[in-house]
PDB file of all heavy atoms in Angstrom:
ATOM      1  N   GLY A 235     -12.829  63.931   7.234  1.00 94.00           N
ATOM      2  CA  GLY A 235     -14.048  63.389   7.792  1.00 94.00           C
ATOM      3  C   GLY A 235     -13.884  63.076   9.247  1.00 94.00           C
ATOM      4  O   GLY A 235     -12.777  63.131   9.811  1.00 94.00           O
ATOM      5  N   ARG A 266     -11.668  52.430  -9.861  1.00 96.00           N
ATOM      6  CA  ARG A 266     -11.917  51.851  -8.551  1.00 96.00           C
ATOM      7  C   ARG A 266     -11.786  52.906  -7.438  1.00 96.00           C
ATOM      8  O   ARG A 266     -12.620  52.954  -6.526  1.00 96.00           O
ATOM      9  CB  ARG A 266     -10.949  50.695  -8.299  1.00 96.00           C
ATOM     10  CG  ARG A 266     -11.214  49.492  -9.198  1.00 96.00           C
ATOM     11  CD  ARG A 266     -10.183  48.381  -8.966  1.00 96.00           C
ATOM     12  NE  ARG A 266     -10.410  47.236  -9.848  1.00 96.00           N
ATOM     13  CZ  ARG A 266      -9.648  46.148  -9.853  1.00 96.00           C
ATOM     14  NH1 ARG A 266      -8.615  46.073  -9.028  1.00 96.00           N
ATOM     15  NH2 ARG A 266      -9.911  45.158 -10.681  1.00 96.00           N
ATOM     16  N   LEU A 308       2.261  51.894   5.682  1.00 89.00           N
ATOM     17  CA  LEU A 308       2.734  52.333   6.990  1.00 89.00           C
ATOM     18  C   LEU A 308       2.105  53.658   7.376  1.00 89.00           C
ATOM     19  O   LEU A 308       2.054  54.025   8.568  1.00 89.00           O
ATOM     20  CB  LEU A 308       4.260  52.438   6.979  1.00 89.00           C
ATOM     21  CG  LEU A 308       5.030  51.118   6.795  1.00 89.00           C
ATOM     22  CD1 LEU A 308       6.526  51.378   6.748  1.00 89.00           C
ATOM     23  CD2 LEU A 308       4.696  50.144   7.915  1.00 89.00           C
ATOM     24  N   TRP A 549      -4.403  62.045  -9.272  1.00 94.00           N
ATOM     25  CA  TRP A 549      -3.968  61.330 -10.491  1.00 94.00           C
ATOM     26  C   TRP A 549      -4.925  61.554 -11.661  1.00 94.00           C
ATOM     27  O   TRP A 549      -4.755  60.972 -12.714  1.00 94.00           O
ATOM     28  CB  TRP A 549      -3.892  59.822 -10.224  1.00 94.00           C
ATOM     29  CG  TRP A 549      -2.889  59.464  -9.176  1.00 94.00           C
ATOM     30  CD1 TRP A 549      -1.539  59.511  -9.289  1.00 94.00           C
ATOM     31  CD2 TRP A 549      -3.167  59.027  -7.858  1.00 94.00           C
ATOM     32  NE1 TRP A 549      -0.945  59.119  -8.134  1.00 94.00           N
ATOM     33  CE2 TRP A 549      -1.923  58.798  -7.216  1.00 94.00           C
ATOM     34  CE3 TRP A 549      -4.335  58.792  -7.119  1.00 94.00           C
ATOM     35  CZ2 TRP A 549      -1.826  58.366  -5.911  1.00 94.00           C
ATOM     36  CZ3 TRP A 549      -4.230  58.345  -5.828  1.00 94.00           C
ATOM     37  CH2 TRP A 549      -2.994  58.143  -5.227  1.00 94.00           C
ATOM     38  N   THR A 701     -23.439  29.171  -8.347  1.00 89.00           N
ATOM     39  CA  THR A 701     -23.722  29.482  -6.948  1.00 89.00           C
ATOM     40  C   THR A 701     -23.745  28.151  -6.216  1.00 89.00           C
ATOM     41  O   THR A 701     -24.805  27.526  -6.058  1.00 89.00           O
ATOM     42  CB  THR A 701     -25.060  30.216  -6.781  1.00 89.00           C
ATOM     43  OG1 THR A 701     -25.072  31.358  -7.643  1.00 89.00           O
ATOM     44  CG2 THR A 701     -25.273  30.659  -5.343  1.00 89.00           C
ATOM     45  N   CYS A 725      -6.783  13.575 -23.064  1.00 88.00           N
ATOM     46  CA  CYS A 725      -5.518  12.888 -23.330  1.00 88.00           C
ATOM     47  C   CYS A 725      -5.742  11.694 -24.232  1.00 88.00           C
ATOM     48  O   CYS A 725      -4.972  11.443 -25.142  1.00 88.00           O
ATOM     49  CB  CYS A 725      -4.889  12.438 -22.013  1.00 88.00           C
ATOM     50  SG  CYS A 725      -3.312  11.571 -22.216  1.00 88.00           S
ATOM     51  N   CYS A 778     -22.830 -10.816 -21.942  1.00 93.00           N
ATOM     52  CA  CYS A 778     -22.751 -12.187 -22.457  1.00 93.00           C
ATOM     53  C   CYS A 778     -24.136 -12.644 -22.896  1.00 93.00           C
ATOM     54  O   CYS A 778     -25.156 -12.195 -22.375  1.00 93.00           O
ATOM     55  CB  CYS A 778     -22.199 -13.123 -21.397  1.00 93.00           C
ATOM     56  SG  CYS A 778     -20.500 -12.772 -20.902  1.00 93.00           S
ATOM     57  N   ILE A 799     -27.926 -43.440 -48.309  1.00 92.00           N
ATOM     58  CA  ILE A 799     -27.349 -44.782 -48.336  1.00 92.00           C
ATOM     59  C   ILE A 799     -28.191 -45.741 -47.499  1.00 92.00           C
ATOM     60  O   ILE A 799     -28.452 -46.895 -47.898  1.00 92.00           O
ATOM     61  CB  ILE A 799     -25.894 -44.752 -47.838  1.00 92.00           C
ATOM     62  CG1 ILE A 799     -25.028 -43.920 -48.794  1.00 92.00           C
ATOM     63  CG2 ILE A 799     -25.336 -46.161 -47.705  1.00 92.00           C
ATOM     64  CD1 ILE A 799     -23.614 -43.700 -48.299  1.00 92.00           C
ATOM     65  N   TYR A 842     -28.530 -50.451 -40.992  1.00 92.00           N
ATOM     66  CA  TYR A 842     -29.023 -49.332 -41.800  1.00 92.00           C
ATOM     67  C   TYR A 842     -29.916 -48.393 -40.969  1.00 92.00           C
ATOM     68  O   TYR A 842     -29.850 -47.162 -41.093  1.00 92.00           O
ATOM     69  CB  TYR A 842     -29.822 -49.857 -42.995  1.00 92.00           C
ATOM     70  CG  TYR A 842     -28.983 -50.448 -44.094  1.00 92.00           C
ATOM     71  CD1 TYR A 842     -29.190 -51.756 -44.525  1.00 92.00           C
ATOM     72  CD2 TYR A 842     -28.010 -49.708 -44.732  1.00 92.00           C
ATOM     73  CE1 TYR A 842     -28.423 -52.303 -45.553  1.00 92.00           C
ATOM     74  CE2 TYR A 842     -27.233 -50.250 -45.752  1.00 92.00           C
ATOM     75  CZ  TYR A 842     -27.442 -51.549 -46.164  1.00 92.00           C
ATOM     76  OH  TYR A 842     -26.696 -52.091 -47.177  1.00 92.00           O
ATOM     77  N   ALA A 850     -31.322 -38.187 -35.534  1.00 89.00           N
ATOM     78  CA  ALA A 850     -32.506 -37.638 -34.867  1.00 89.00           C
ATOM     79  C   ALA A 850     -32.102 -36.717 -33.721  1.00 89.00           C
ATOM     80  O   ALA A 850     -31.006 -36.843 -33.145  1.00 89.00           O
ATOM     81  CB  ALA A 850     -33.384 -38.774 -34.354  1.00 89.00           C
ATOM     82  N   LEU A 956     -15.249 -43.306 -25.301  1.00 76.00           N
ATOM     83  CA  LEU A 956     -14.950 -44.573 -24.635  1.00 76.00           C
ATOM     84  C   LEU A 956     -16.177 -45.469 -24.592  1.00 76.00           C
ATOM     85  O   LEU A 956     -16.088 -46.688 -24.823  1.00 76.00           O
ATOM     86  CB  LEU A 956     -14.447 -44.282 -23.221  1.00 76.00           C
ATOM     87  CG  LEU A 956     -14.104 -45.511 -22.364  1.00 76.00           C
ATOM     88  CD1 LEU A 956     -12.984 -46.306 -23.028  1.00 76.00           C
ATOM     89  CD2 LEU A 956     -13.703 -45.082 -20.955  1.00 76.00           C
ATOM     90  N   GLU A 984     -15.363 -74.117 -52.945  1.00 54.00           N
ATOM     91  CA  GLU A 984     -16.261 -72.969 -53.094  1.00 54.00           C
ATOM     92  C   GLU A 984     -17.703 -73.387 -53.300  1.00 54.00           C
ATOM     93  O   GLU A 984     -18.614 -72.590 -53.161  1.00 54.00           O
ATOM     94  CB  GLU A 984     -15.811 -72.138 -54.292  1.00 54.00           C
ATOM     95  CG  GLU A 984     -15.840 -72.902 -55.578  1.00 54.00           C
ATOM     96  CD  GLU A 984     -15.335 -72.089 -56.749  1.00 54.00           C
ATOM     97  OE1 GLU A 984     -14.899 -70.946 -56.512  1.00 54.00           O
ATOM     98  OE2 GLU A 984     -15.381 -72.572 -57.853  1.00 54.00           O
ATOM     99  N   ALA A1035     -22.912 -53.278 -43.616  1.00 88.00           N
ATOM    100  CA  ALA A1035     -24.151 -54.003 -43.934  1.00 88.00           C
ATOM    101  C   ALA A1035     -24.267 -54.252 -45.432  1.00 88.00           C
ATOM    102  O   ALA A1035     -24.704 -55.330 -45.874  1.00 88.00           O
ATOM    103  CB  ALA A1035     -25.350 -53.201 -43.429  1.00 88.00           C
ATOM    104  N   THR A1070     -17.617 -87.311 -47.108  1.00 56.00           N
ATOM    105  CA  THR A1070     -16.608 -88.056 -47.881  1.00 56.00           C
ATOM    106  C   THR A1070     -16.302 -87.346 -49.173  1.00 56.00           C
ATOM    107  O   THR A1070     -15.138 -87.186 -49.566  1.00 56.00           O
ATOM    108  CB  THR A1070     -17.111 -89.475 -48.170  1.00 56.00           C
ATOM    109  OG1 THR A1070     -17.370 -90.118 -46.908  1.00 56.00           O
ATOM    110  CG2 THR A1070     -16.071 -90.283 -48.937  1.00 56.00           C
TER     111      THR A1070
END
Side-chain angles (χ1 to χ4, degrees):
R266 292 177 181 179
L308 295 178
W549 298 289
T701 307
C725 180
C778 296
I799 296 173
Y842 285 123
L956 179 61
E984 61 183 4
T1070 301

